[in-house]
């Protein structure tokens, strides 16, 4: 379940100058009246003005609004904008509950101006469009709620706060390094604001604070940058429906699903789709701290075998205690797609009956999908946090003779545009 961060690029000034030239004269700040079209992937709707596409935030389909351009120029292929005045409102529009959201405010949420239920409808449209356009798959499902939030609020158990110029903690604006100081975050669990960290200036030298709230409600705050290796661990609990609960120890700076119901929901969906059998051999790619490895180990039993592979060394260290007691399960470090990870699979598993893929946002990619499915697993579960990457990889799976037999989408990040999907693949022709 690890997710990597893209390193900062070099030569930023030159890139910005080239970009400015290619965009022509700046249109930033220009206001135009537009009719709002349908939702698009990325937390915005599509509008058009003078024959050019505008990716518009803070609007809803069917509205008429005044859009203020936030990015682009006279030579740009498309523009970005905020809806700064609503002329004809959608019946689904509401007053945003968070006073820090909206144009020029915190960029963390995309859909505060509508209900959680309509947010799921918008996300359903996005998943359907991405699957149809990129994979040729017609999906008639809906994005499902995940238990553990309050109508889309009070669910986020981990928040990394940045520091504003006046040394207050806050969150960044959309597509910006600018920080909006906040005294609460309405999608965060209440324990985070209750620490008092958001009420006081931070010490000089700190670039941020990472706050995690564990399953037992223990709160751990880590100053950034981390100056030593003594980052504390927290204990998280995963309790899929119909399966015995398990506890997982993970670094407070490590990756963990931030919605309290997410991990249990995803494990249950994967196990339900895979239907693991005693004695089978399972491969868990991008295994993180061993969540799927452990539950697959329970399912296939001591006569089976499970191998987890993960590229992040810290996650691999965390995974050791999490799969302790499962002598038929192991989790090793490997950079999927780079190392000779397939040799590790050969020596540890040999044949592969089941596969779990939980790649980073960019997806697994054609080569990994091809190499994994060349092992002819009975079924594969693909857990994806980006529907476009999922759709591309589903298309690659089709090239290898695998089809989607079920796909569920979950609103594990309410009020944002993010979606988590669990797709189950099996051979198109029975072998």
């Amino acid at each position: 379940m690890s997710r990597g961060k893209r390193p900062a690029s070099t030569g930023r000034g030159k890139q910005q100058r080239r970009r400015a030239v290619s965009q022509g004269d700046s249109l930033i700040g220009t206001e135009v009246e537009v009719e709002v079209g349908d939702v698009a992937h990325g937390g915005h709707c599509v509008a058009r003005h003078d024959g050019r596409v505008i990716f518009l935030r803070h609007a809803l389909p069917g509205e008429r609004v005044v859009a203020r351009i936030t990015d682009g120029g006279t030579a740009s292929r498309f523009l970005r904008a905020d809806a700064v005045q609503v002329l004809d409102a959608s019946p689904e529009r509401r007053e945003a509950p968070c006073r820090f959201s909206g144009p020029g405010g915190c960029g963390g949420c995309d859909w505060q101006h509508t209900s959680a239920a309509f947010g799921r409808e918008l996300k359903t449209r996005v998943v359907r469009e991405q699957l149809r356009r990129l994979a040729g798959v017609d999906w008639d499902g809906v994005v499902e709620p995940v238990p553990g939030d309050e109508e889309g609020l009070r669910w986020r158990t981990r928040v990394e706060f940045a520091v504003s110029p006046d040394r207050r903690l806050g969150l960044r604006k959309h597509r910006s390094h600018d920080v909006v100081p906040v005294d609460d975050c309405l999608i965060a669990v209440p324990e985070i604001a209750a620490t008092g960290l958001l009420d006081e200036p931070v010490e000089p030298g700190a670039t941020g604070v990472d706050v995690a709230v564990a399953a037992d409600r223990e709160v751990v705050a880590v100053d950034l940058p981390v100056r030593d290796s003594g980052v504390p661990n927290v204990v998280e609990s995963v309790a899929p429906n119909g399966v015995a609960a398990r506890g997982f120890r993970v670094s407070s700076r490590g990756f963990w699903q931030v919605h309290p119901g997410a991990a249990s929901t995803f494990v249950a969906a994967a196990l339900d789709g895979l239907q693991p059998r005693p004695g089978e051999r399972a491969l868990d790619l991008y295994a993180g701290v061993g969540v799927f490895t452990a539950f697959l180990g329970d399912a296939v039993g001591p006569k089976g075998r499970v191998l987890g592979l993960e590229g992040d060394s810290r996650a691999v260290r965390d995974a050791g205690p999490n799969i302790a007691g499962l002598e038929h399960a192991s989790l090793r470090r490997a950079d999927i797609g780079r190392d000779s990870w397939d040799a590790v699979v050969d020596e540890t598993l040999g044949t592969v009956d089941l596969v779990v893929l939980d790649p980073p946002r960019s997806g697994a990619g054609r080569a990994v999908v091809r190499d994994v499915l060349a092992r002819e697993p009975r079924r594969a579960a693909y857990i994806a946090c980006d529907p476009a990457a999922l759709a591309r990889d589903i298309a690659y799976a089709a090239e290898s003779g695998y089809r989607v037999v079920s796909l569920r989408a979950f609103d594990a990040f309410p009020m944002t545009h993010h979606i988590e999907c669990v797709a189950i693949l099996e051979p198109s022709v029975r072998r």
Side-chain angles (χ1 to χ4, degrees):
M1 289 189 173
S2 64
R3 298 290 186 272
K5 293 185 178 180
R6 184 174 61 186
S9 61
T10 58
R12 183 179 175 190
K14 292 181 179 179
Q15 289 180 349
Q16 288 179 330
R17 287 194 294 274
R18 285 197 296 268
R19 184 182 179 198
V21 171
S22 66
Q23 289 185 337
D25 296 332
S26 174
L27 292 175
I28 295 175
T30 303
E31 294 186 356
V32 296
E33 185 178 314
V34 296
E35 301 286 340
V36 183
D38 206 356
V39 64
H41 182 32
H44 44 246
C45 295
V46 175
R48 285 177 170 80
H49 182 74
D50 286 344
R52 190 158 28 192
V53 169
I54 300 176
F55 293 118
L56 183 62
R57 284 172 53 81
H58 310 296
L60 293 174
E63 293 186 325
R64 186 168 62 92
V65 304
V66 175
R68 180 180 296 152
I69 307 302
T70 58
D71 187 33
T74 54
S76 299
R77 292 186 300 107
F78 61 86
L79 304 172
R80 299 183 186 275
D82 288 338
V84 294
Q85 183 182 355
V86 180
L87 304 175
D88 291 322
S90 164
E92 299 294 345
R93 177 172 284 275
R94 68 167 185 179
E95 189 73 25
C98 177
R99 60 191 174 90
F100 301 109
S101 69
C106 169
C109 290
D110 303 292
W111 304 115
Q112 284 267 347
H113 53 289
T114 192
S115 65
F118 191 65
R120 290 192 293 274
E121 165 60 26
L122 294 175
K123 296 182 185 188
T124 296
R125 298 183 197 178
V126 168
V127 176
R128 288 177 180 169
E129 193 272 338
Q130 296 296 313
L131 289 171
R132 182 173 56 251
R133 182 171 63 88
L134 298 175
V137 172
D138 290 323
W139 181 64
D140 60 1
V142 298
V143 173
E144 306 171 39
V146 174
D149 60 65
E150 301 174 11
E151 291 298 313
L153 303 176
R154 297 305 187 192
W155 53 269
R156 192 175 182 94
T157 58
R158 290 175 176 236
V159 181
E160 184 176 312
F161 293 98
V163 178
S164 70
D166 61 354
R167 310 305 303 162
R168 303 300 294 264
L169 291 180
L171 299 165
R172 299 191 187 279
K173 297 181 180 181
H174 181 62
R175 293 172 59 86
S176 172
H177 293 292
D178 294 343
V179 177
V180 178
V182 299
D183 55 19
D184 193 7
C185 172
L186 291 190
I187 64 171
V189 293
E191 288 90 341
I192 290 179
T195 62
L197 291 168
L198 302 178
D199 301 326
E200 300 292 337
V202 299
E203 294 295 326
T207 60
V209 176
D210 193 11
V211 187
V213 181
D216 61 2
R217 315 320 290 175
E218 176 191 7
V219 182
V220 175
V222 178
D223 290 340
L224 305 177
V226 177
R227 292 183 170 84
D228 57 53
S229 59
V231 177
N233 290 335
V234 295
V235 176
E236 302 287 359
S237 178
V238 181
N241 292 334
V243 179
R246 270 186 166 272
F248 292 86
R249 184 170 294 275
V250 57
S251 164
S252 58
R253 284 287 288 160
F255 176 81
W256 187 261
Q257 292 290 344
V258 294
H259 193 297
S264 297
T265 298
F266 303 158
V267 170
L271 293 180
D272 183 61
L274 290 173
Q275 292 293 299
R277 303 164 184 167
E280 287 193 312
R281 293 172 176 257
L283 174 62
D284 179 13
L285 292 181
Y286 314 96
V289 298
V291 175
F292 290 106
T293 303
F295 281 102
L296 286 169
D298 291 338
V300 303
K303 293 184 178 180
R305 184 75 177 151
V306 182
L307 171 65
L309 297 178
E310 165 59 41
D312 183 74
S313 298
R314 177 173 54 193
V316 174
R317 289 194 301 270
D318 287 346
N322 295 333
I323 61 173
L326 294 171
E327 295 184 0
H328 57 291
S330 59
L331 198 152
R332 298 172 59 174
R333 187 191 175 284
D335 288 330
I336 312 303
R338 295 181 181 178
D339 290 348
S340 55
W341 60 273
D342 51 343
V344 180
V345 179
D346 288 335
E347 68 183 40
T348 306
L349 293 180
T351 59
V352 174
D353 301 301
L354 302 172
V355 172
V356 171
L357 292 120
D358 186 14
R361 188 172 305 280
S362 56
R366 175 181 266 121
V368 172
V369 171
R370 178 198 62 215
D371 292 348
V372 168
L373 297 183
R375 295 179 176 276
E376 300 185 348
R378 177 174 63 82
R379 280 199 165 185
Y382 192 121
I383 294 85
C385 57
D386 183 270
L390 171 65
R392 287 192 294 268
D393 284 352
I394 284 175
Y396 300 148
E399 296 173 357
S400 295
Y402 278 72
R403 65 187 179 96
V404 178
V405 292
S406 71
L407 191 150
R408 297 176 67 185
F410 298 100
D411 193 14
F413 311 91
M415 300 297 149
T416 79
H417 72 274
H418 299 292
I419 314 159
E420 199 90 12
C421 298
V422 179
I424 304 300
L425 309 174
E426 70 175 14
S428 301
V429 178
R430 291 189 177 274
R431 296 174 172 137

